[in-house]
Structures are given as C-alpha cells and as structure tokens.
Amino acid sequence: RLGVGWKAGIRESELGQEGRSSRFGARTIHLYNGKDVERFSTKKIEEEDRTGFYKWIGLTSKYFLIALIADTMTDADITISTFKDMESQGENENRKDAADINYRYEVKRFAAGDHQDYRWYIGPAKLTTLKDAGENLVKVLFGGWKFFFRADKWFPFLCEFVLWLLVSLHGVVKDYGIVILLLTLLSKIVTFPLTQSSLRSMNRMKDLQPKINALREKYKSNPQKMNQKLMALYKEEGVSPLQMGCLPMVLQMPIFISLFVVLRKAIELRGAETILVPWVDDLSRAETLFEIPTLPLIGGIYGNNFALLPVIMAALTFFQQKATIKDPNQKGMVYIMPVIMLVIFNSFPAGLVLYWTFSSALQLVQQYFIEKRKAALAGARK
C-alpha cells in the first residue's frame, strides 16, 4: 500500500485587508471521480476521511492549484487535514474563517503491480493552461454553486463561457476594459427586445398614472377591489406589470453574477489595466482613488476606499429612476436606490462596476430614444 500526498498546504498570493486571505478565493480541496468534482472546505481544525474511486485531488487558493493526478482511477483512501494559516491570521489567532484554514492531503492505494504512476500539476488555475493539462482539471475553476434551479450544473459552464469570451476578445483588442464594454453591448443586444418592451410598458404606465391614482383613491378602503380594478385597467390598456421594472435586470443577473465570479477568481484578469479608467491598475479589485476613514455602520460594507465609477453609476441610476418612476408611492426609490447601489458597488471589482455603469448609460440612451419617438408620434397625431 502506497501513500502519496501534499503536506505543505498552499500559500495565498492575494492577501486582503489586514493580511487576510481573500474570502472570495478561500482555499478548497477538490476531488474528481471521473464525472463530478466533490469539494471540501471548512472553518475548523479537523480531519476528513474519504474513500472511493478518484482520478485526482487538488488544493486551490484564489489563483493557483496543486493537484495529484493518478495514472488510473482505482479505490483509494484519502485523508484531508486542516491547519491554521498563520500568514493570513495576522495577530488575531482566535478568528474563525474559511480563508484562514490551510489543507494537507494524502492518498493511499494498493498498487496493482510493483509501482504506481502519479503526476503533479502545480501552477496557475488558468483556463487555457488547465484545459491543456487535461483530466478535467478545469472543473476546479467555478464549482460549488448550489443556489436556485440546479445552479451547480449550469452556472460553472456560464462562468467558463464568460471567461472564454473575455479572453478571446482580449486576444483581439488587448484591453480588458474595452472587452468588458463589448460584453456589455452583447448582453444588451441579447436582452434588447425584453428591455424595449419593459421601457415602453413603463412609459405607458406614466400615461395611465392619473387613472391609477383615481382608482386607488376611490377604492382605498377596499384593497381587494382596488387590485381587481387595477388588473382590469392593465388588461384593457394592454399593459403587463410583469414586463416592467426588474424583469430586464433579472435576465441580466446570471451574466452579472458570472462576471462577478470571473473577475474575482480568474487569474487572467489579475492586474488587468485599461485606458478607459487609467487610475485603475487592477480590474479584479475595487477601484481606489484614495483611502478614507471607515464610515460608521456601513464601513464594513462600503470599505475604506473612495471610488469614482460607483459615484457615476449611482448618478446614472438616479436619472434612470427619475425617468421611469412616476408613481407617488414609489418616489422614495428615486433617491434610495442610488444610495444603495453606491454603497454596495463601492467594494465590487472595478471591472464589474464598469460593466454596470456602461449598461446603465446604454439603458438611459435607449429610454431617451423611446421618449423621443413617443413625442414624435404624439406630434404626428395632432
């Protein structure tokens, strides 16, 4: 019986705030059984035993992989043990976080003959490199997603496609900022019919607002009757509430989330600069024009950086909301939503904020031409 393993763990190359390992790329163990990848991560100091037919076992940090690949897939006993990574712990030895845990692993198997063959992959978790290495090592990149609609099956493929598209476009234009703008244009083209229908419905709703307000006032003491009358009005005027508001955004969310994951995880975008935002030297990290003191209450969310792109995006969101929301009951969203977006997006990767900012600008342009066409048609009728 032969035991082969990796005892040293993996050093995290991307230390975050206060020396911490990135929570978005916490070290993880991956075990490939020839079809699917099992993953193991923990916040505890513990030992995990696995038995089964595995082709390889790998340990990943945010950007790198150390994998032990067997010559044949035979029954093996695998022991995974964890230890605290003092480099990322810093001074706080009592903190419990998955980003502070490092891993060792050992594979024990009975040899079929007088020897067994293994090979190691030790290097960057880069899409093209992993594909060239074979053995489906590429599966370590974007896995472990278990949110809605069996995302563990389709979401990794979407992330891989987005990364492939970004890398392919970069081979032509050589600037990831411009590549992100091209990706924004592509997503807008795909969602254009639905977005166009939604914006037209919202414009129609603005015209119907006086009638809607009259119904709400008339039946304010009978909410059930009021809703019936509103639904009847929508049906009569050919307006569908489902076509308005968030539906175009919902359609873009898989692209948005996959781009978020790719920008956080893909080594290809590490240190990527762009002529579009010359003060940003890494599109995979949050933009920082200058450092600011931690803000009360929201400091942990907002971060200690002041960024310009989220401010521009929040301003565009304000004009978007102002142009589309005419219902007095929703007026507060005109002012609340831009603030929420500013706070959340300030700590997001600069490339992701660039995507959403350009997307918001395109939607404002689309709204402008719809309004212009509407005014022209109204003038023609007169």
Side-chain angles (χ1 to χ4, degrees):
R1 195 179 190 202
L2 177 65
V4 180
W6 183 267
K7 303 292 186 178
I10 188 169
R11 185 175 180 180
E12 180 55 73
S13 61
E14 307 297 309
L15 293 178
Q17 191 177 19
E18 300 178 356
R20 295 186 63 194
S21 175
S22 170
R23 75 183 65 179
F24 296 100
R27 301 171 183 90
T28 304
I29 290 286
H30 309 258
L31 302 104
Y32 181 60
N33 60 19
K35 183 179 179 182
D36 298 313
V37 172
E38 301 171 19
R39 290 174 175 84
F40 173 75
S41 61
T42 182
K43 298 180 181 180
K44 303 176 182 179
I45 302 301
E46 60 180 305
E47 190 171 282
E48 173 86 0
D49 293 316
R50 300 283 179 99
T51 300
F53 288 78
Y54 296 103
K55 179 64 176 176
W56 52 257
I57 177 171
L59 169 60
T60 56
S61 63
K62 184 175 182 179
Y63 287 138
F64 294 92
L65 165 67
I66 298 171
L68 175 64
I69 307 165
D71 58 338
T72 57
M73 194 165 62
T74 58
D75 196 17
D77 294 322
I78 296 175
T79 301
I80 303 164
S81 57
T82 64
F83 61 95
K84 280 188 178 181
D85 185 86
M86 300 311 297
E87 182 184 36
S88 66
Q89 276 288 120
E91 297 179 358
N92 189 350
E93 295 183 4
N94 297 318
R95 183 179 55 222
K96 293 182 179 180
D97 194 290
D100 302 320
I101 295 294
N102 214 329
Y103 298 83
R104 304 181 179 100
Y105 61 80
E106 184 178 18
V107 180
K108 295 180 180 178
R109 304 195 311 174
F110 288 101
D114 57 357
H115 73 281
Q116 292 187 66
D117 291 328
Y118 292 91
R119 61 189 176 95
W120 290 94
Y121 177 91
I122 303 175
K126 189 176 182 181
L127 181 65
T128 53
T129 307
L130 293 178
K131 284 190 171 183
D132 289 343
E135 305 293 355
N136 266 330
L137 288 175
V138 73
K139 284 183 174 287
V140 303
L141 284 176
F142 306 113
W145 295 91
K146 294 182 180 179
F147 51 98
F148 59 95
F149 299 125
R150 297 180 63 83
D152 58 320
K153 299 298 182 184
W154 58 265
F155 187 68
F157 290 102
L158 178 59
C159 290
E160 190 177 321
F161 173 74
V162 169
L163 177 56
W164 172 83
L165 190 59
L166 286 171
V167 172
S168 299
L169 290 172
H170 183 259
V172 178
V173 299
K174 308 299 182 184
D175 185 312
Y176 272 114
I178 297 174
V179 167
I180 289 170
L181 295 194
L182 292 174
L183 182 64
T184 312
L185 281 171
L186 286 173
S187 68
K188 278 294 181 183
I189 291 170
V190 171
T191 60
F192 179 81
L194 183 59
T195 306
Q196 190 79 347
S197 175
S198 174
L199 291 173
R200 284 174 177 169
S201 292
M202 283 190 284
N203 277 331
R204 184 69 182 129
M205 283 291 289
K206 286 190 287 185
D207 296 335
L208 293 176
Q209 204 59 51
K211 293 182 180 180
I212 292 171
N213 292 339
L215 287 174
R216 284 177 173 162
E217 180 64 27
K218 184 177 180 180
Y219 298 103
K220 61 182 178 181
S221 59
N222 190 344
Q224 185 175 357
K225 185 74 171 177
M226 179 180 67
N227 287 332
Q228 290 175 352
K229 291 292 184 179
L230 285 174
M231 290 299 108
L233 176 64
Y234 294 150
K235 185 176 180 180
E236 180 184 342
E237 298 291 341
V239 175
S240 171
L242 293 177
Q243 289 182 307
M244 298 176 293
C246 296
L247 195 54
M249 185 181 291
V250 169
L251 193 62
Q252 292 183 67
M253 285 311 290
I255 299 173
F256 175 80
I257 297 172
S258 61
L259 187 61
F260 175 85
V261 172
V262 166
L263 286 170
R264 288 285 191 188
K265 182 68 177 171
I267 193 172
E268 289 87 346
L269 293 158
R270 182 191 190 197
E273 299 178 348
T274 175
I275 59 172
L276 300 176
V277 194
W279 61 89
V280 172
D281 58 5
D282 190 343
L283 288 169
S284 70
R285 291 175 175 260
E287 172 198 349
T288 303
L289 272 178
F290 51 83
E291 297 287 336
I292 60 174
T294 301
L295 299 177
L297 300 179
I298 64 172
I301 302 173
Y302 189 86
N304 290 29
N305 59 307
F306 177 83
L308 182 58
L309 278 176
V311 174
I312 296 171
M313 188 207 64
L316 290 171
T317 302
F318 170 78
F319 289 116
Q320 253 184 313
Q321 299 288 98
K322 195 172 179 64
T324 56
I325 295 179
K326 300 300 180 183
D327 185 348
N329 296 322
Q330 299 180 19
K331 279 282 187 179
M333 293 303 295
V334 175
Y335 304 97
I336 295 172
M337 186 58 70
V339 175
I340 293 174
M341 299 289 275
L342 173 62
V343 170
I344 293 175
F345 274 76
N346 190 74
S347 60
F348 278 12
L352 189 70
V353 184
L354 179 63
Y355 167 85
W356 203 255
T357 302
F358 189 50
S359 179
S360 298
L362 288 176
Q363 187 155 333
L364 271 175
V365 171
Q366 190 176 355
Q367 174 72 20
Y368 168 78
F369 281 108
I370 288 176
E371 293 277 5
K372 189 175 180 180
R373 185 172 182 273
K374 177 184 171 183
L377 288 173
R381 290 192 191 102
K382 292 180 181 179

